[in-house]
């Protein structure tokens, strides 16, 4: 049968599909002829940056991805890690940056929907979600609109679906003015013997379309996500998908019910590039061909072309290969949940990807080349230049430490995110033990009857983009180390990580160098801290009119708590508890928020990360929590010691008296030196903790005591808890509502 081509392929059309002339020449060679319009769309979908990782694949291969607990590493819908007792945690982080900038509500909502499908496609029930958000300058005219839409979209989808949001990040910087970042994380629990993969097996088996109907929303979305924005950004609004969380909830329940029957041979979420990517990946992984008949695909719009159907990114859809003897039972399950169920094709033994539409063959392509032989580039890169280390005496000392502390607490990057996370359902499923606002979110693990097992999982995400801009390798290391600390601070054993690598245009050697060295730093850290990368996502071309984002390699991490009676929190301090610093007095102010918020400077080298020290101190803190010696714990990060103490005081509504004398008090208070924790210890355990620290070679110092209703730090700081809370809680509501908090209360 001759492939029908009703639309001539021109050089301009090739360029519009994000393909270079060299790539197109290779496509012609592999196809054996000029591709049809539909085939061009299929090639562009499979070979774009978003789906093929052609600029990053070379470097992603260097990341450590295996470990004693890893069941499934990168390459599937999500990573899978053993948590004992015959169970595993399934998790991944994905970006939905470009769609969220164009249409913030639906862009963010469908980002949540997509990552949830990645998890339950593997056979896991979602139990936790997080999000890492980066917005432009607060005074940019679009920022408030984008914040409002994104937060509403995340809450609207996640709350309706019924998964608790247990953590995340929100940051602001002018470099995100033209490209915000919306990174969505989800985790689920499954039986270790109940994991489902996307690799098709068996010839002549039915390929079944499941879920919602196909429309024109999202056509070309993956290609759009693989290009820079320009002046025509508003014209890209039609490429944003529309989500329906209630349909997704039904899809979850139907999939999990069907999986129990043994009918599922392979399953794949229809995410980026929709029907194209899911069908090709299933066939290519299984060394099988695929034949699809688009006349059998459920649609909700009339006169859809083959091109539109193949590239639609309509949400809440799955593709499955089923045991033909169970097809009738499978149909009954999906019809019970009022979802579409349609046999739309079959597996073949010819390694071809064939697409039929209205009685004609509109695509006939080599499936392995589509799925496995996308270009892999070793793009030119330049090694980033390391900025000089700033000595404390070279950084201006404002002298007014009360004002500096309050200014930092009231700054966009350090203020309370309560306005954000209170729009999310953090408690649904009734298993949340720690809500957002601390170091990590924690959920309890339950048995098949819903009874608590006494074990829990902890989740966190982190990256400090200003560090990555100054030194990508140290920034990559720090992102992993910060996640490690966040998990240790609640008493969790760090298990594994997922990454979401957000960068600008990789065709620019400087940007490519940032990506290369950030990956090197991440790789070194996950190896040293035994936190292998098991899944992830790369989002490139985050640029508008040539201006790129800060390099933002977001890390998501999961930890295991074996005894829920031994969990620490940021707000657990009691009157009389001793406050101990695990680590040394700070001396590093380069790239600190003190410099940025109080001095208006972003300069110097970021604080270095010593991974051996990181591991030793983390294990020490975890052991102290596990032995019941710790009332509260918090890692020291953005804003330094003063901010960390203030956050503990506000969370526990307890004052503290801290002894501090320093030749460089601005560094001691606000320096962001790494590998440090604040630990609140009952008086009876203080000497024991000190002895254990000395015996383990761990640096520590006894700072003071939790008492009263003020934070007093030497002769430098004296502020009431009430003042700190007012500063900390007011920025976000005032920014979003445009009025002071006291005026809102009066109304």
């Amino acid at each position: 049968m001759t492939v029908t081509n009703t639309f001539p392929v021109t050089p301009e059309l090739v360029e519009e599909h994000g393909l270079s002339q060299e790539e197109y020449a290779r496509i012609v060679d592999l196809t054996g002829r000029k591709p049809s319009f539909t085939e061009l769309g299929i090639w562009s979908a499979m070979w774009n940056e978003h789906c093929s990782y052609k600029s990053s694949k070379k470097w992603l291969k260097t990341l450590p991805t295996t470990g004693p607990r890893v069941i499934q590493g990168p390459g599937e819908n999500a990573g899978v890690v053993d948590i004992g007792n015959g169970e595993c945690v399934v998790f991944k982080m994905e970006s939905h940056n470009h769609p969220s900038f164009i249409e913030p509500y639906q862009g963010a909502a469908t980002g949540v929907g997509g990552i949830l499908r990645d998890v339950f496609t593997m056979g896991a029930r979602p139990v936790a979600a997080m999000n890492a958000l980066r917005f432009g300058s607060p005074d940019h005219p679009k920022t408030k609109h984008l914040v409002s839409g994104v937060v509403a979209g995340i809450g609207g989808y996640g709350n309706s679906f019924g998964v608790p949001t247990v953590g995340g990040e929100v940051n602001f910087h002018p470099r995100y003015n033209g490209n915000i970042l919306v990174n969505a994380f989800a985790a689920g629990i499954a039986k270790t013997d109940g994991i489902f993969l996307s690799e098709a097996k068996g010839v002549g088996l039915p390929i079944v379309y499941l879920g919602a109907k196909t429309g024109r929303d999202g056509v070309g979305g993956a290609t759009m996500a693989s290009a820079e924005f320009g002046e025509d950004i508003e014209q890209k609004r039609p490429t944003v998908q529309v989500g329906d969380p209630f349909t997704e909830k039904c899809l979850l329940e139907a999939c999990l019910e069907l999986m129990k029957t043994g009918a599922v041979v392979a399953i794949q979420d229809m995410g980026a590039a929709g029907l194209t990517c899911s069908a090709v990946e299933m066939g290519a992984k299984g060394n099988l061909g695929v034949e699809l008949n688009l006349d059998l695909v459920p649609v909700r719009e009339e006169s859809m072309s083959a091109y539109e159907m193949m590239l639609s990114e309509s949400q809440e859809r799955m593709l499955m290969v089923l045991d033909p003897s169970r097809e009738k039972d499978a149909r009954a399950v999906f019809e019970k949940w009022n979802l579409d169920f349609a046999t739309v094709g079959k597996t073949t033994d010819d390694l071809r990807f064939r697409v039929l539409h209205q009685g004609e063959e509109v695509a006939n392509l080599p499936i392995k080349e589509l799925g496995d032989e996308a270009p892999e580039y070793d793009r030119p890169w330049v090694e980033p230049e390391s900025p000089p280390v700033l000595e404390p005496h070279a950084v201006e000392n404002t002298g007014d430490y009360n004002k500096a502390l309050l200014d930092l607490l009231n700054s966009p990057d350090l203020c309370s995110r309560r306005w954000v996370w209170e729009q999310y359902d953090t408690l649904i499923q009734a298993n949340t033990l720690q809500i957002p606002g601390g170091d990590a979110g924690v959920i309890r693990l339950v048995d098949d009857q819903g009874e608590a097992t006494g074990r829990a999982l902890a989740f966190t995400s982190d990256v400090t983009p200003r560090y990555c801009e100054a030194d990508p390798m140290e920034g990559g290391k720090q992102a992993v180390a910060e996640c490690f600390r966040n998990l240790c601070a609640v008493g969790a054993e760090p298990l594994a990580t997922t990454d979401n690598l957000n960068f600008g245009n990789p065709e620019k050697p400087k940007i490519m160098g940032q990506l290369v060295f950030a990956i090197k730093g991440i790789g070194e850290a996950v190896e040293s801290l035994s936190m292998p990368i098991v899944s992830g996502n790369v989002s490139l071309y985050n640029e508008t009119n040539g201006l790129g984002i800060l390099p933002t390699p977001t890390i998501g991490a999961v930890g295991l708590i074996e005894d829920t009676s031994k969990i620490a929190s940021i707000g657990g301090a009691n009157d009389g508890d001793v406050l101990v610093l695990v680590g040394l007095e700070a001396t590093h102010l380069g790239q600190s928020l003190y410099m940025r918020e109080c001095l208006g400077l972003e300069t110097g080298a970021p604080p270095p990360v010593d991974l051996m020290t990181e591991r030793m101190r983390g294990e020490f803190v975890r052991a102290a929590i596990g032995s019941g010696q710790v009332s509260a714990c918090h890692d020291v990060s953005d804003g330094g010691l003063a901010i960390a103490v203030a956050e503990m005081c506000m969370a526990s509504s307890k004052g503290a008296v801290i002894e501090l004398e320093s030749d460089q008090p601005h560094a001691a208070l606000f320096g962001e030196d790494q590998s440090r924790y604040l630990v609140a210890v009952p008086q009876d355990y203080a000497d024991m903790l000190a002895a254990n620290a000395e015996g383990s070679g761990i640096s520590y110092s006894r700072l003071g005591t939790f008492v009263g209703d003020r934070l007093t730090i030497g002769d430098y700081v004296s502020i009431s808890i009430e003042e700190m809370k007012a500063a900390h809680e007011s920025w976000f509501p005032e920014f979003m509502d445009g009025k002071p908090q006291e005026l809102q209360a009066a109304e």
Side-chain angles (χ1 to χ4, degrees):
M1 184 182 292
T2 301
V3 172
T4 302
N5 188 7
T6 58
F7 204 100
V9 175
T10 63
E12 292 76 20
L13 198 58
V14 171
E15 184 178 356
E16 288 175 11
H17 280 74
L19 296 165
S20 69
Q21 289 303 313
E22 292 78 11
E23 289 170 343
Y24 180 67
R26 174 68 174 151
I27 285 169
V28 171
D29 181 56
L30 290 172
T31 308
R33 51 178 166 74
K34 289 185 177 181
S36 68
F37 179 54
T38 299
E39 288 175 329
L40 178 67
I42 292 171
W43 280 111
S44 74
M46 294 305 301
W47 280 21
N48 65 47
E49 194 73 57
H50 192 72
C51 294
S52 73
Y53 300 109
K54 57 190 177 186
S55 296
S56 57
K57 194 183 302 182
K58 168 185 169 68
W59 301 100
L60 295 176
K61 292 176 182 177
T62 67
L63 289 170
T65 59
T66 59
R69 288 186 179 268
V70 177
I71 296 173
Q72 177 65 54
E76 275 294 336
N77 287 291
V80 184
V81 175
D82 195 337
I83 56 173
N85 295 349
E87 290 185 316
C88 55
V89 58
V90 179
F91 64 97
K92 189 183 181 183
M93 182 174 277
E94 277 268 11
S95 61
H96 230 222
N97 304 334
H98 286 58
S100 298
F101 186 77
I102 296 168
E103 213 303 301
Y105 185 95
Q106 291 297 347
T110 52
V112 174
I115 198 65
L116 289 169
R117 285 195 303 281
D118 282 339
V119 167
F120 70 75
T121 298
M122 303 287 291
R125 180 173 292 278
V127 294
M130 297 189 294
N131 51 81
L133 313 177
R134 264 87 195 181
F135 298 101
S137 173
D139 59 10
H140 189 274
K142 289 195 72 170
T143 298
K144 189 183 298 186
H145 162 71
L146 292 168
V147 172
S148 178
V150 165
V151 171
I154 291 169
Y157 204 103
N159 297 352
S160 299
F161 179 85
V163 62
T165 298
V166 298
E169 307 169 82
V170 185
N171 292 111
F172 297 84
H173 195 280
R175 289 278 290 281
Y176 302 106
N177 283 348
N179 271 92
I180 65 172
L181 301 184
V182 175
N183 296 168
F185 170 100
I189 303 296
K191 299 295 184 183
T192 54
D193 59 358
I195 297 298
F196 290 82
L197 304 178
S198 59
E199 178 186 337
K201 296 177 181 178
V203 176
L205 300 188
I207 296 175
V208 179
Y209 173 112
L210 307 165
K213 290 180 169 57
T214 294
R216 290 187 171 92
D217 48 323
V219 172
T223 300
M224 178 268 290
S226 303
E228 295 182 32
F229 283 148
E231 298 297 340
D232 62 344
I233 184 172
E234 288 302 322
Q235 299 173 20
K236 301 191 179 199
R237 193 173 300 276
T239 63
V240 177
Q241 311 93 320
V242 177
D244 180 354
F246 300 103
T247 297
E248 177 117 333
K249 175 64 172 174
C250 293
L251 184 61
L252 161 71
E253 299 299 342
C255 285
L256 295 183
E257 183 176 336
L258 180 59
M259 287 168 172
K260 292 178 181 178
T261 69
V264 180
V265 176
I267 181 170
Q268 177 70 42
D269 164 41
M270 283 197 228
L275 195 54
T276 289
C277 197
S278 55
V280 170
E281 287 185 356
M282 291 176 79
K285 286 179 181 177
N287 292 309
L288 295 170
V290 166
E291 179 183 297
L292 296 180
N293 186 345
L294 299 185
D295 298 337
L296 303 175
V297 171
V299 295
R300 54 179 163 80
E301 299 186 47
E302 295 182 358
S303 304
M304 289 189 70
S305 67
Y307 178 95
E308 290 172 325
M309 294 173 73
M310 291 305 298
L311 298 187
S312 167
E313 294 184 6
S314 293
Q315 297 292 286
E316 294 84 45
R317 300 181 301 159
M318 296 282 198
L319 208 61
M320 282 186 184
V321 176
L322 291 182
D323 177 345
S325 67
R326 313 297 289 275
E327 191 171 345
K328 181 178 178 181
D329 296 335
R331 182 183 297 275
V333 169
F334 275 78
E335 288 179 349
K336 181 184 80 171
W337 288 98
N338 292 317
L339 295 168
D340 280 297
F341 179 103
T343 301
V344 297
K346 62 182 180 180
T347 58
T348 66
D349 61 359
D350 58 5
L351 291 177
R352 304 295 294 182
F353 183 53
R354 299 177 64 240
V355 181
L356 309 177
H357 185 232
Q358 296 179 351
E360 298 179 331
E361 189 175 73
V362 294
N364 189 330
L365 300 170
I367 198 166
K368 293 291 286 183
E369 286 77 357
L370 269 173
D372 299 336
E373 293 193 20
E376 182 177 322
Y377 293 126
D378 184 3
R379 295 200 184 276
W381 53 270
V382 295
E383 184 171 346
E385 295 182 8
S386 298
V389 175
L390 295 178
E391 298 298 332
H393 62 78
V395 178
E396 179 186 346
N397 187 336
T398 64
D400 189 342
Y401 305 115
N402 280 348
K403 182 178 186 304
L405 179 54
L406 289 173
D407 285 348
L408 285 168
L409 289 173
N410 191 241
S411 66
D413 276 10
L414 284 175
C415 69
S416 168
R417 270 80 175 121
R418 187 184 305 276
W419 183 93
V420 175
W421 57 258
E422 282 193 341
Q423 296 187 53
Y424 307 148
D425 194 329
T426 61
L427 299 173
I428 197 166
Q429 298 185 11
N431 291 318
T432 305
L433 297 177
Q434 290 200 24
I435 62 175
D439 289 286
V442 181
I443 65 158
R444 64 175 185 161
L445 292 169
V446 297
D447 60 22
D448 293 341
Q449 286 71 48
E451 297 297 322
T453 64
R455 305 164 77 231
L457 288 175
F459 305 95
T460 185
S461 72
D462 227 297
V463 66
T464 309
R466 64 186 186 278
Y467 292 178
C468 298
E469 171 84 353
D471 188 328
M473 187 162 178
E474 285 298 325
K477 287 163 60 177
Q478 191 272 341
V480 177
E482 175 71 12
C483 284
F484 177 84
R485 284 197 299 276
N486 288 341
L487 295 174
C488 290
V490 299
E493 174 196 357
L495 298 182
T497 51
T498 180
D499 59 9
N500 203 149
L501 308 178
N502 308 273
F503 289 81
N505 185 344
E507 296 170 43
K508 297 178 179 179
K510 178 181 178 181
I511 302 300
M512 194 64 210
Q514 293 175 341
L515 176 62
V516 169
F517 277 79
I519 290 175
K520 286 184 177 182
I522 290 169
E524 187 177 322
V526 298
E527 179 76 26
S528 296
L529 301 176
S530 299
M531 300 169 69
I533 298 278
V534 298
S535 59
N537 171 248
V538 179
S539 175
L540 304 180
Y541 295 95
N542 289 289
E543 297 198 4
T544 297
N545 296 325
L547 180 62
I549 62 167
L550 294 176
T552 311
T554 310
I555 300 295
V558 177
L560 178 64
I561 298 169
E562 290 288 359
D563 183 353
T564 53
S565 70
K566 304 289 178 58
I567 298 177
S569 70
I570 185 176
N574 300 302
D575 282 333
D577 280 354
V578 175
L579 181 63
V580 174
L581 171 66
V582 176
L584 300 172
E585 180 179 305
T587 62
H588 199 103
L589 286 167
Q591 297 299 327
S592 66
L593 285 180
Y594 168 80
M595 286 188 64
R596 193 177 85 186
E597 298 298 331
C598 299
L599 306 178
L601 299 173
E602 293 184 58
T603 187
V609 178
D610 183 321
L611 293 168
M612 182 178 294
T613 299
E614 194 73 64
R615 181 161 192 151
M616 289 177 60
R617 291 179 184 169
E619 289 176 347
F620 172 78
V621 167
R622 212 160 63 238
I625 295 170
S627 66
Q629 299 174 17
V630 175
S631 302
C633 185
H634 188 28
D635 86 300
V636 182
S637 56
D638 281 349
L641 175 71
I643 289 295
V645 176
E647 289 172 340
M648 291 184 77
C649 288
M650 290 186 292
S652 61
S653 295
K654 298 283 188 296
V657 177
I658 308 300
E659 298 175 7
L660 181 68
E661 292 184 15
S662 175
D663 294 336
Q664 302 291 342
H666 60 324
L669 290 168
F670 304 115
E672 296 179 5
D673 301 53
Q674 300 294 291
S675 312
R676 300 191 300 157
Y677 299 80
L678 289 175
V679 180
V681 187
Q683 292 276 1
D684 293 346
Y685 291 127
D687 290 341
M688 184 188 302
L689 185 76
N692 290 340
E694 289 177 356
S696 303
I698 300 295
S699 301
Y700 80 100
S701 56
R702 199 168 181 155
L703 295 181
T705 307
F706 283 94
V707 64
D709 58 4
R710 299 182 70 81
L711 171 59
T712 302
I713 307 178
D715 295 329
Y716 310 117
V717 170
S718 180
I719 310 176
S720 71
I721 304 301
E722 185 178 346
E723 283 181 275
M724 292 194 298
K725 284 185 175 181
H728 192 234
E729 295 288 349
S730 63
W731 188 88
F732 235 112
E734 289 179 10
F735 169 61
M736 294 307 298
D737 295 342
K739 61 183 74 171
Q741 194 175 37
E742 57 269 21
L743 182 56
Q744 296 175 46
E747 294 175 348

